[in-house]
Amino acid sequence: MKKIRIFDTTLRDGEQTPGVHVSRAHKLEIARQLERLGTDIIEAGFPAASQGDAAAVSEIAGAVGGCTVAALARAVEGDVRTAAKALENAARPRIHVFIATSDIHLEHKLKMTREDVVRRTFEAVSLARSLCEDVEFSAEDASRSDRDFLCEVLAEAVKAGAGTLNIPDTVGYAVPEDFAGLIAYVRKHTPGIDGAVISVHCHNDLGLAAANSLAAVKAGAEQVECTVNGLGERAGNAALEEIVMSLRTRADYFGCDTGIEAVQLARTSRLVSSLYGIALPKNKAVVGENAFSHESGIHQHGMLADKRTYEIMTPESVGMGGVMVLGKLSGSHAFEERLKELGYTLGKEASDACFKEFKALADRKDVTDEDIMAIVNGYLDSLGAVYELDSFQIQSGNKVRSMAMVTLSCRGASVSEAALGDGPIDAAFNAVSRLSGADNIKLEEYNIKAVTEGADALGEATVKISVDGGRYSGRGVSTDILEASIKAYVSALNKWAGR
Ligand code: KIV
Ligand code: ZN
């Protein structure tokens, strides 16, 4: 059966999800799980965008050997060289060069003529090819481009050495039949395209990203770019799990499959949801909590008679299982096994530290997968931290202003500050702000939720702050909501301090 390559861009386009900022430690965990999932290509980031992105790509390139690691670059010399440098340690590197081809982008964004774009494409792809054997070229906004000009640019990219030609529907404008027609047109009218892999990259502005990608596969595309849970810029990208399970469930129609280990889909989805801080809708196709639940009596009756009456794929096939609970008698071995099953690849030091926290929690309650993920994510957040919460005391009441005294350890030294505030959380945040020395911190968002059910649940606080025009998010977990909130604020400040 023909194989469709899965190009995952959760770490690049997925990180462009509004309000999302993912730490390097979190990105590495996700990359390792994507490798386990059987992804063919992981787009690890856009190195020219920031030093943090370049460092993350370089770290992932060194850690992931089983699949190709791609880095994005605009069609400019500096970007291409920065991408090549970040990929130096990759076993299978790919430079992904892009430039827009639609008139609207040429006129208003690039301020270039069509001739400029053709020349830039040739120069940038040639340079990338001289630095890396595997080069992909993307014609941004392809679906709104003049078709003949698009083919001319793609032909230039092939001539310069691109092995993969990507046709993005950048603004989610396409509809399935029309998009399939575009792929067929490009295949027919692009000189030299036979030696290249055709790829598609669809955004979900009209909710058609998966449908457009699948129509393109039917029309001859051999690579699909997608993200776990459909995360991404604006309404997101095509969801990886939907593409994979559509091709597998309807192999009779598509006549092709991917190399994805579908049983890893649910845990990959949960890992990404928890590390990106974006909850899944319950009715999310393939991996949502309700994806395999049957409510009506008629459906339940049918399911009891024969599951195939209302089930086109089994929950087990995508790794959806019952909730597993660990208790205070669970040992480190069971805990480590559970970490692996949840998609984490922690070293001994990290797993020992998390086990200690798990034990403390297990003394008080049964520990669910969500609790474990909250513990591990909190630990990963604290790596490389400048500030750590040591202790706090708060006085509060309904007729007095709240007062907080907070002690942080800052690069090994212990520092304390007191502050007043409108309520205990405001007072504690004011004390932490004073300790940071930054005088224009603005709290943009603050949320607190229970990770699991019950009075003894772990509370997870998330905050977003802005400092000097930059936005930073943080998360904190504790059975005490004040502690969780202060940890979240400190974690956001750490991102600012380590920027
Ligand atoms: O949506 C898009 O066009 C992109 C390109 C950079 C591939 O993300
Ligand atoms: Zn995109």
Side-chain angles (χ1 to χ4, degrees):
M1 204 180 282
K2 185 169 141 191
K3 185 183 165 201
I4 302 298
R5 295 165 175 81
I6 292 294
F7 176 114
D8 178 278
T9 182
T10 307
L11 297 172
R12 200 275 299 168
D13 223 327
E15 212 207 357
Q16 291 169 224
T17 304
V20 162
H21 176 90
V22 192
S23 72
R24 256 160 66 191
H26 287 182
K27 284 186 180 172
L28 191 59
E29 284 301 315
I30 291 172
R32 289 195 169 121
Q33 177 57 23
L34 289 172
E35 184 180 26
R36 221 173 283 134
L37 178 69
T39 311
D40 298 285
I41 303 112
I42 296 175
E43 185 162 56
F46 184 1
S50 72
Q51 280 182 359
D53 244 40
V57 172
S58 163
E59 191 168 11
I60 291 166
V64 164
C67 47
T68 297
V69 176
L72 186 67
R74 286 169 302 180
V76 294
E77 181 179 345
D79 276 30
V80 174
R81 290 196 186 281
T82 308
K85 181 139 190 37
L87 290 169
E88 257 167 16
N89 297 327
R92 288 149 66 181
R94 171 180 293 189
I95 299 180
H96 178 189
V97 177
F98 78 98
I99 192 165
T101 49
S102 66
D103 287 337
I104 206 162
H105 277 237
L106 263 63
E107 190 182 331
H108 299 286
K109 185 184 83 174
L110 297 176
K111 312 225 183 292
M112 281 184 186
T113 62
R114 289 186 173 186
E115 292 69 39
D116 293 334
V117 170
V118 172
R119 186 177 34 80
R120 275 282 198 90
T121 300
F122 187 80
E123 286 169 3
V125 174
S126 303
L127 174 64
R129 192 64 178 74
S130 72
L131 301 168
C132 183
E133 280 223 346
D134 185 350
V135 175
E136 170 169 335
F137 172 75
S138 280
E140 191 188 10
D141 207 15
S143 55
R144 293 193 301 166
S145 301
D146 174 80
R147 287 188 173 186
D148 291 326
F149 177 60
L150 173 63
C151 294
E152 188 186 340
V153 176
L154 293 174
E156 207 64 13
V158 177
K159 208 162 64 176
T164 303
L165 296 179
N166 187 35
I167 321 289
D169 179 25
T170 303
V171 289
Y173 177 74
V175 290
E177 246 187 85
D178 192 37
F179 196 55
L182 174 62
I183 303 304
Y185 191 90
V186 162
R187 282 181 73 190
K188 194 159 166 212
H189 294 98
T190 305
I193 201 164
D194 285 347
V197 170
I198 300 181
S199 167
V200 289
H201 174 114
C202 296
H203 280 268
N204 206 28
D205 299 67
L206 294 173
L208 293 171
N212 287 332
S213 307
L214 293 166
V217 167
K218 197 68 182 161
E222 290 175 297
Q223 173 178 293
V224 177
E225 302 198 356
C226 44
T227 57
V228 176
N229 300 338
L231 295 177
E233 189 84 43
R234 304 183 311 279
N237 291 57
L240 180 149
E241 60 279 3
E242 293 171 19
I243 301 294
V244 167
M245 291 316 286
S246 297
L247 293 177
R248 193 151 298 170
T249 309
R250 294 306 309 274
D252 61 316
Y253 176 74
F254 290 106
C256 50
D257 198 4
T258 67
I260 294 292
E261 293 280 337
V263 291
Q264 296 281 344
L265 284 172
R267 77 185 48 150
T268 310
S269 160
R270 277 171 88 177
L271 184 72
V272 169
S273 163
S274 120
L275 293 178
Y276 274 55
I278 306 270
L280 274 190
K282 287 195 180 193
N283 64 341
K284 170 75 188 64
V286 182
V287 288
E289 201 180 313
N290 291 352
F292 296 94
S293 303
H294 301 272
E295 178 73 17
S296 92
I298 295 175
H299 286 210
Q300 287 171 357
H301 178 74
M303 284 291 289
L304 288 173
D306 187 326
K307 288 193 170 165
R308 288 171 302 177
T309 49
Y310 288 103
E311 206 169 75
I312 57 166
M313 54 193 163
T314 65
E316 295 78 26
S317 69
V318 297
M320 300 276 270
V323 178
M324 213 109 126
V325 172
L326 294 182
K328 61 180 173 196
L329 297 178
S330 305
S332 61
H333 187 65
F335 180 72
E336 278 163 25
E337 276 307 300
R338 200 74 206 116
L339 287 182
K340 273 195 216 140
E341 281 162 24
L342 290 171
Y344 293 101
T345 320
L346 300 187
K348 173 129 182 57
E349 194 181 323
S351 120
D352 286 353
C354 293
F355 182 62
K356 231 163 129 187
E357 278 200 51
F358 156 75
K359 274 303 217 192
L361 188 63
D363 267 343
R364 281 176 275 155
K365 69 190 280 285
D366 281 343
V367 181
T368 64
D369 287 350
E370 272 66 31
D371 292 324
I372 294 178
M373 293 177 94
I375 290 173
V376 178
N377 298 346
Y379 173 83
L380 293 172
D381 272 341
S382 73
L383 293 178
V386 174
Y387 305 107
E388 249 180 285
L389 175 63
D390 182 9
S391 63
F392 66 94
Q393 276 177 41
I394 296 182
Q395 281 173 20
S396 190
N398 60 345
K399 302 235 165 116
V400 288
R401 277 202 91 192
S402 300
M403 216 263 299
M405 161 76 99
V406 179
T407 303
L408 302 180
S409 81
C410 171
R411 297 193 172 95
S414 179
V415 286
S416 302
E417 245 327 330
L420 294 168
D422 297 330
I425 289 173
D426 188 46
F429 287 2
N430 288 341
V432 174
S433 296
R434 280 190 184 172
L435 285 168
S436 76
D439 46 19
N440 50 351
I441 305 175
K442 197 161 157 241
L443 181 66
E444 305 270 357
E445 230 179 276
Y446 164 72
N447 288 298
I448 181 105
K449 66 167 193 187
V451 175
T452 45
E453 284 162 19
D456 55 0
L458 277 182
E460 183 178 64
T462 48
V463 302
K464 286 205 178 95
I465 57 170
S466 62
V467 192
D468 300 329
R471 299 187 82 210
Y472 309 90
S473 58
R475 174 186 26 218
V477 173
S478 169
T479 46
D480 176 329
I481 57 167
L482 283 173
E483 183 171 348
S485 306
I486 302 172
K487 279 183 169 174
Y489 198 75
V490 170
S491 139
L493 270 175
N494 275 319
K495 298 212 178 111
W496 164 75
R499 68 200 178 279

